Amino acid sequence: MYVPEHFAVSDSESLYGLIRAQPLGMLVTHGPEGLDANHLPFELEVGERAVLHGHVARNNPVWREVADGSEVLVVFRAGDAYISPNWYPSKHEQHKQVPTWNYQVVHVHGRVTIKDDERYVRGVVARLTRTHEASQEKPWKMTDSAPEYIDAMLKAIVGIQVEITRVVGKLKLSQNKDKRDIESAGQALVAKGKTTIGAAMLACADPCPGRER
């Protein structure tokens, strides 16, 4: 991924925060049939090493097509939005702005391990469920269903573990523009309901977390 200096983020905690906030990752693999991409929710574990945990349907050929230790890429996207030049005050003074597209992405490079193991899969599903049901008035639990039903569902999926070797972040939030242009465009996005990128631009006006201006 091409990352100009003013869009780069090197602070791993900021990048891990984006992954946790937007956990649906695109797992990119290269198997016998060539490149493949699967969209999976991941759990991020950070300790002595950083690891992504997820699962795929047993009918999905990806877990048979990649060998343990293969290099993979997981892409996490945290919002995107079109930026009109008309939202920049400087455009109306100098007429030297063009349209662009802002976005926040994290590219996770790592090595995959297939975990065709019921205990591993049960743990991943339980943790993902606790995380994403936490905001519900009455969170669903695995024990809400009959044990034999859950057992059958777990047998129908296979675990995917990615040991992270490198993380690359790119927050394209108009950081190469004047502060007033960033704020004006951010406010325009918020007004249009594009709050993810709009709020990020407003927070980034001075300056972005993990990066000095």
Side-chain angles (χ1 to χ4, degrees):
M1 176 170 62
Y2 171 58
V3 187
E5 187 278 332
H6 42 266
F7 299 146
V9 178
S10 58
D11 175 37
S12 60
E13 288 306 312
S14 294
L15 299 180
Y16 290 156
L18 284 177
I19 292 173
R20 291 189 175 99
Q22 302 290 337
L24 183 68
M26 180 172 64
L27 172 67
V28 181
T29 57
H30 192 282
E33 301 300 319
L35 290 171
D36 191 16
N38 285 271
H39 302 267
L40 314 170
F42 283 97
E43 174 203 17
L44 173 65
E45 175 191 359
V46 179
E48 292 185 4
R49 58 175 185 163
V51 180
L52 294 173
H53 301 282
H55 59 82
V56 297
R58 186 170 293 278
N59 289 337
N60 188 330
V62 66
W63 71 274
R64 298 183 186 275
E65 294 178 348
V66 293
D68 285 352
S70 298
E71 292 187 1
V72 298
L73 172 69
V74 186
V75 178
F76 295 91
R77 297 176 65 253
D80 66 275
Y82 172 77
I83 306 297
S84 170
N86 290 323
W87 298 341
Y88 296 135
S90 63
K91 176 266 182 188
H92 303 283
E93 300 168 356
Q94 304 167 14
H95 304 286
K96 292 182 179 181
Q97 298 288 359
V98 295
T100 191
W101 207 284
N102 282 356
Y103 52 88
Q104 302 179 103
V105 294
V106 181
H107 285 197
V108 174
H109 299 257
R111 298 189 181 277
V112 68
T113 300
I114 303 303
K115 307 285 283 188
D116 191 7
D117 174 85
E118 190 272 346
R119 182 178 179 182
Y120 176 86
V121 170
R122 186 179 292 272
V124 171
V125 172
R127 293 191 299 273
L128 285 172
T129 299
R130 282 198 298 270
T131 297
H132 300 295
E133 284 286 323
S135 62
Q136 299 298 314
E137 183 177 347
K138 185 179 180 181
W140 181 88
K141 306 182 297 297
M142 293 174 69
T143 53
D144 289 348
S145 296
E148 58 272 19
Y149 174 77
I150 294 296
D151 290 346
M153 291 296 98
L154 293 177
K155 289 177 181 177
I157 58 179
V158 177
I160 299 284
Q161 177 179 288
V162 178
E163 183 174 355
I164 298 173
T165 57
R166 183 163 61 101
V167 181
V168 181
K170 182 176 183 179
L171 307 188
K172 185 175 181 293
L173 301 169
S174 298
Q175 301 97 312
N176 55 334
K177 306 296 183 183
D178 291 340
K179 179 180 177 180
R180 62 174 181 154
D181 285 342
I182 299 174
E183 292 178 333
S184 178
Q187 291 164 356
L189 286 178
V190 171
K192 290 179 175 294
K194 292 283 189 176
T195 55
T196 299
I197 293 298
M201 289 179 66
L202 294 174
C204 206
D206 179 71
C208 273
R211 183 189 60 80
E212 294 182 0
R213 280 177 66 97

